[in-house]
């Protein structure tokens, strides 16, 4: 049995707009973190969602990676000369 499919050549201007969620009965308001699609095709993001994303990105950016951890371990176990060349190698490796 074939299922009829309605072909729509173009989407209506309000196709991607979402209605704002009703406020919750209790707890943290969900609409503060709502991401909506604008009728023109762009995305609308709330200030609270932008701040939360920026904060998470900042925290992820300040956490040292494995290269920095290895450099600190080398500095604690060896002298300045070995640590300097290892740090120089990390810098050149990041540039390439």
């Amino acid at each position: 049995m074939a299922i009829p499919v309605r072909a729509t050549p173009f989407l209506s201007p309000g196709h991607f707009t979402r209605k704002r969620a009703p406020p919750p009965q209790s707890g943290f308001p969900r609409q503060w973190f709502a991401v909506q699609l604008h009728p023109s095709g762009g995305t609308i993001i709330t200030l609270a969602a932008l701040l939360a994303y920026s904060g998470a990105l900042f925290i992820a950016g300040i956490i040292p990676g494995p290269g920095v951890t290895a450099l600190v371990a080398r500095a604690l176990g060896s002298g300045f000369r070995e640590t300097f060349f290892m740090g120089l190698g990390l810098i050149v490796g990041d540039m390439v």
Side-chain angles (χ1 to χ4, degrees), residues 2 6 18 23-24 29-30 43 51 56 66 77 80 86-87:
R6 189 177 100 180
R18 296 180 185 163
R30 292 181 305 180
T43 304
L51 290 175
F80 174 76
M86 183 175 175

Side-chain angles (χ1 to χ4, degrees), residues 6-91:
R6 189 177 100 180
T8 337
F10 301 105
L11 298 175
S12 62
H15 181 75
F16 288 108
T17 57
R18 296 180 185 163
K19 294 183 180 178
R20 178 172 272 193
Q25 300 300 328
S26 63
F28 198 73
R30 292 181 305 180
Q31 69 267 19
W32 286 4
F33 292 100
V35 176
Q36 300 173 349
L37 295 177
H38 195 266
S40 67
T43 304
I44 301 172
I45 187 166
T46 62
L47 180 62
L50 180 65
L51 290 175
Y53 175 75
S54 300
L57 191 62
F58 176 76
I59 290 171
I62 62 172
I63 295 174
V68 175
T69 306
L71 189 65
V72 169
R74 176 62 65 113
L76 292 175
S78 301
F80 174 76
R81 182 180 209 137
E82 293 85 2
T83 306
F84 175 75
F85 288 118
M86 183 175 175
L88 189 62
L90 284 172
I91 291 172

